[in-house]
Amino acid sequence: MKKRILVTCAFPYANGSLHIGHFLEHIQADIWVRYKKMRGHEVWFICADDAHGTPIMLKSQSLKMSPESFISDIYKDHVNDLEKFNINYDNYYSTHSSENSYFLKKIYHILDKKGLIQTRNIFQLFDNTKRVFLPDRFVKGACPICHTKDQYGDHCEVCGSSYSAVELIKPVSMLSGNCPILKKSLHFFFNLPYFESMLRSWVMSGVLQASVVKKLDEWFKLGLREWDISRDSPYFGFNIPGFLDKYFYVWLDAPIGYISTFKNLCTQRNNLNFLDFWKKNSECELYQFIGKDIVYFHSLFWPSILEASNFRKPTKIFVHGHVTINGLKLSKSRGDCILAKNWIKNLDSDSLRYYYASKLSSKIQDIEVNAKHFLYKINSDVVNKIVNLASRVSSFINIYFNNELSSRIDDLALYKRFVTSSSYIEKMLENCEFNSAISMVISLADIANSYVDNKKPWNLTKNIKNSNTLHDICTTVLNLFRILMTWLKPVMPDLAKNSEKFLNIKLEWANICIPLLNHKISIFKALRHRIEDKQIKFLLPNNFE
Ligand SMILES: Nc1ncnc2c1ncn2[C@@H]1O[C@H](COP(=O)(O)OP(=O)(O)OP(=O)(O)O)[C@@H](O)[C@H]1O
Ligand SMILES: [Zn+2]
């Protein structure tokens, strides 16, 4: 049955260029979206820049720019990189938008009216040298839960707990290097504990991977706490109505950006109705891809806000691990960073997409980028096994058969074996078990190559009597190649495009079971190149940018 699906990725923070760690998520979601579209579903894919908060304000100040023009430059930079990796968003927007301000204030009024917001004076970390309240990312200390040193003020990257910066053990301001003081200020709190029983049953309804459910259980045991949704001036964000020097915390307006980005898309498309997707009990599906570092926000605060304001909740949240280099999370705030644009300068987008797909599963595991392993995977799997399969037989079709495929498949059993494997690959793609799908594709490519090795078509050119057999064998191989490339189309759109040009067809899921016969193909041209050693030099330690 055709489904109507909205898919989101977590919003990149607009304080710098995207690195290949960010692309794990965009690529994972884009593969899934392309797959679902190929299966005939109506899929809308959205994302936006997360454009508010103190870090952006401080960065724009240091560059002597207004925050508005700073985020506008970053926006262009992000969109440019996303396009280079073939991430096919229907709308890539910004949280600094009129729609987001509208929904944020609307939701705030509903929460306030329902008595879910309370104000009280609290003490916060204040950098007395720089005269600012410290944002979470500008203070570090030991995690109050697991005691790991060097953690940010909002959550611990080791145990995943979320906490308030004042709870950090031995905090240090990253702006001045001094120990911050505690300063009193009026803050606004959202009553998260009120939603505990709703959250407990929502969490158990299959929306999250098993290990995330386990993590949430730990958080429930520790007890849910009220959430501070306000920040003091100076701040770059949306003002709290009636309080000139108070702003909404960026983490409140960022997820509301999912709603406003879709609303903005609706204004661009006639056939799209906002409430169809966002009303309570909507029959449309909402799939959200996020990293493991932001589970707390998306699995506790976000569904509670949606519940309170009468919007639908996500159908499923897919959580992924982090891309690491030498075991450390790739991060724009830290030194170890491979920028996406640097990747594109040296390599191509399909290669990163394939590499990630070959490692991604539904388990929340970190993915270590290893240059040598990457080179091996692309050259051995994609070039030697997939592309080579087509190149091994295409010249025969081009030279001896006027570019025309024959009227029959030589090995129907083999062809059928490929067709029946499709249901396994479908299941794996559907469940984001991309590594299993890729393993199956590659083992079938091995079988197809063994078939060529056994049939030795190059020996059949010597005798004209063999011509029908040669024709049927080459046609079989190109049909197997066509199936392999149909499965890989969501993963490697550039290679798929070149394969479509070569085969002179559109690669469609529905055609997997129908052999391509009596059909004219094009002259074979290299569909993609091998990766040379010199191209991966920038991935080796000490060469990061
Ligand atoms: N190294 C990484 N591997 C996988 N996902 C990442 C990585 N870094 C960021 N992300 C994901 O990108 C999304 C949002 O990007 P955002 O810019 O807020 O990341 P961030 O963690 O602040 O990045 P950074 O540490 O580089 O400043 C989140 O889902 C986050 O998990
Ligand atoms: Zn911890």
Side-chain angles (χ1 to χ4, degrees):
M1 200 182 66
K2 183 178 161 179
K3 287 182 178 166
R4 308 186 74 203
I5 309 169
L6 174 60
V7 180
T8 71
C9 275
F11 294 179
Y13 196 56
N15 64 341
S17 291
L18 299 174
H19 53 67
I20 62 165
H22 291 115
F23 272 89
L24 180 69
E25 182 169 308
H26 300 291
I27 287 173
Q28 184 187 34
D30 186 76
I31 291 173
W32 196 77
V33 166
R34 283 172 187 266
Y35 167 68
K36 296 296 274 187
K37 282 186 178 167
M38 279 182 87
R39 302 310 309 278
H41 300 290
E42 176 188 328
V43 192
W44 301 98
F45 187 27
I46 59 166
C47 192
D49 266 4
D50 175 8
H52 289 147
T54 320
I56 284 172
M57 180 185 75
L58 292 172
K59 182 106 187 231
S60 61
Q61 276 169 4
S62 74
L63 295 169
K64 302 204 170 10
M65 290 171 87
S66 70
E68 287 84 359
S69 51
F70 174 69
I71 60 167
S72 148
D73 285 357
I74 294 279
Y75 177 83
K76 286 178 211 142
D77 179 68
H78 285 182
V79 168
N80 196 23
D81 286 347
L82 289 161
E83 275 171 8
K84 295 246 162 70
F85 282 84
N86 286 317
I87 311 295
N88 227 347
Y89 284 118
D90 293 293
N91 197 19
Y92 191 88
Y93 203 38
S94 166
T95 56
H96 191 64
S97 70
S98 56
E99 292 92 340
N100 208 32
S101 166
Y102 167 81
F103 280 110
L104 173 70
K105 283 169 190 162
K106 183 178 158 134
I107 287 171
Y108 167 72
H109 284 305
I110 297 173
L111 302 182
D112 195 30
K113 236 188 188 160
K114 290 189 173 174
L116 293 164
I117 308 275
Q118 256 131 41
T119 54
R120 64 172 182 275
N121 280 309
I122 58 156
F123 286 92
Q124 278 220 300
L125 297 180
F126 185 78
D127 188 320
N128 221 357
T129 328
K130 300 280 178 186
R131 307 296 303 163
V132 283
F133 281 99
L134 284 169
D136 298 336
R137 285 289 168 119
F138 284 76
V139 56
K140 274 190 164 182
C143 164
I145 317 292
C146 74
H147 294 199
T148 307
K149 285 188 183 150
D150 220 24
Q151 296 304 309
Y152 287 119
D154 50 354
H155 83 278
C156 172
E157 281 185 0
V158 176
C159 74
S161 303
S162 192
Y163 41 73
S164 154
V166 293
E167 295 172 82
L168 276 179
I169 302 164
K170 293 202 179 142
V172 175
S173 161
M174 293 172 71
L175 291 179
S176 65
N178 296 335
C179 176
I181 61 161
L182 285 172
K183 194 171 166 176
K184 198 162 80 171
S185 163
L186 184 77
H187 274 247
F188 295 61
F189 291 85
F190 171 65
N191 189 350
L192 181 68
Y194 176 81
F195 295 93
E196 181 169 341
S197 68
M198 178 281 290
L199 287 169
R200 276 180 183 273
S201 57
W202 180 71
V203 162
M204 297 312 291
S205 67
V207 279
L208 298 158
Q209 291 119 298
S211 61
V212 184
V213 173
K214 225 166 118 199
K215 189 87 231 169
L216 260 93
D217 207 43
E218 285 171 29
W219 288 333
F220 286 132
K221 280 191 187 121
L222 284 171
L224 300 182
R225 290 187 284 178
E226 289 184 310
W227 181 36
D228 186 351
I229 56 159
S230 60
R231 290 297 182 268
D232 287 285
S233 154
Y235 198 76
F236 180 55
F238 292 126
N239 211 226
I240 300 184
F243 296 84
L244 272 181
D245 59 342
K246 304 282 172 197
Y247 289 82
F248 288 110
Y249 179 33
V250 55
W251 257 113
L252 181 65
D253 76 60
I256 291 173
Y258 294 131
I259 301 174
S260 53
T261 298
F262 186 73
K263 177 73 184 173
N264 178 263
L265 176 65
C266 292
T267 62
Q268 303 169 37
R269 310 284 168 118
N270 300 330
N271 55 344
L272 212 48
N273 180 287
F274 173 77
L275 282 178
D276 280 357
F277 282 82
W278 282 100
K279 70 179 176 212
K280 206 168 191 140
N281 304 322
S282 159
E283 277 168 11
C284 300
E285 298 186 343
L286 172 61
Y287 283 81
Q288 305 205 271
F289 289 80
I290 61 165
K292 65 178 183 181
D293 52 324
I294 51 177
V295 168
Y296 204 94
F297 297 97
H298 282 80
S299 60
L300 296 176
F301 299 140
W302 172 229
S304 304
I305 298 282
L306 291 169
E307 172 80 10
S309 46
N310 232 12
F311 285 113
R312 60 93 40 82
K313 291 193 282 297
T315 312
K316 203 159 174 63
I317 297 182
F318 282 124
V319 184
H320 60 78
H322 285 149
V323 175
T324 59
I325 290 272
N326 301 321
L328 282 179
K329 179 190 175 210
L330 221 74
S331 161
K332 57 177 132 62
S333 334
R334 292 210 197 90
D336 294 338
C337 191
I338 297 165
L339 291 184
K341 50 177 103 308
N342 201 20
W343 179 281
I344 284 295
K345 234 193 282 168
N346 294 279
L347 291 157
D348 64 308
S349 120
D350 269 7
S351 60
L352 186 65
R353 295 175 66 106
Y354 180 82
Y355 186 62
Y356 281 162
S358 73
K359 288 178 159 250
L360 271 166
S361 74
S362 69
K363 295 206 181 65
I364 304 162
Q365 282 160 342
D366 287 349
I367 291 181
E368 172 78 9
V369 174
N370 177 295
K372 293 232 158 75
H373 182 236
F374 160 76
L375 180 124
Y376 172 79
K377 287 295 280 178
I378 303 306
N379 289 347
S380 146
D381 286 7
V382 182
V383 182
N384 290 356
K385 295 181 179 178
I386 307 280
V387 172
N388 200 29
L389 188 61
S391 83
R392 292 178 85 181
V393 298
S394 54
S395 62
F396 299 120
I397 299 278
N398 292 148
I399 298 167
Y400 298 106
F401 306 106
N402 192 26
N403 301 333
E404 189 95 30
L405 296 180
S406 81
S407 59
R408 59 181 289 272
I409 295 285
D410 167 67
D411 189 337
L412 211 51
L414 180 58
Y415 184 82
K416 282 196 179 138
R417 180 171 177 183
F418 271 53
V419 173
T420 48
S421 300
S422 203
S423 60
Y424 174 82
I425 289 167
E426 287 157 18
K427 197 167 145 211
M428 293 304 114
L429 290 175
E430 172 74 40
N431 296 331
C432 284
E433 303 285 2
F434 297 165
N435 58 350
S436 303
I438 295 284
S439 295
M440 177 59 103
V441 171
I442 294 304
S443 63
L444 288 166
D446 282 337
I447 291 170
N449 278 294
S450 303
Y451 169 76
V452 182
D453 296 341
N454 291 336
K455 294 284 174 173
K456 300 188 177 37
W458 46 90
N459 283 344
L460 301 175
T461 57
K462 290 164 200 149
N463 188 339
I464 192 73
K465 273 196 286 181
N466 292 325
S467 97
N468 281 351
T469 319
L470 174 66
H471 201 186
D472 294 349
I473 289 169
C474 296
T475 299
T476 304
V477 173
L478 287 184
N479 266 277
L480 301 180
F481 169 75
R482 177 186 62 113
I483 298 181
L484 294 171
M485 275 318 303
T486 308
W487 290 326
L488 289 175
K489 187 175 174 179
V491 179
M492 294 191 284
D494 285 336
L495 180 59
K497 213 183 279 165
N498 290 343
S499 306
E500 286 178 335
K501 263 191 223 148
F502 161 59
L503 291 173
N504 202 12
I505 50 159
K506 199 163 171 227
L507 294 166
E508 309 228 50
W509 219 273
N511 290 342
I512 286 175
C513 57
I514 310 163
L516 185 66
L517 302 169
N518 301 315
H519 170 84
K520 200 147 190 146
I521 61 165
S522 312
I523 305 280
F524 182 82
K525 281 193 215 122
L527 301 175
R528 75 152 290 135
H529 294 289
R530 299 175 68 77
I531 292 176
E532 307 290 333
D533 280 333
K534 61 175 192 267
Q535 285 178 272
I536 57 162
K537 264 197 191 141
F538 78 107
L539 289 173
L540 301 172
N542 308 324
N543 292 342
F544 303 153
E545 237 177 67

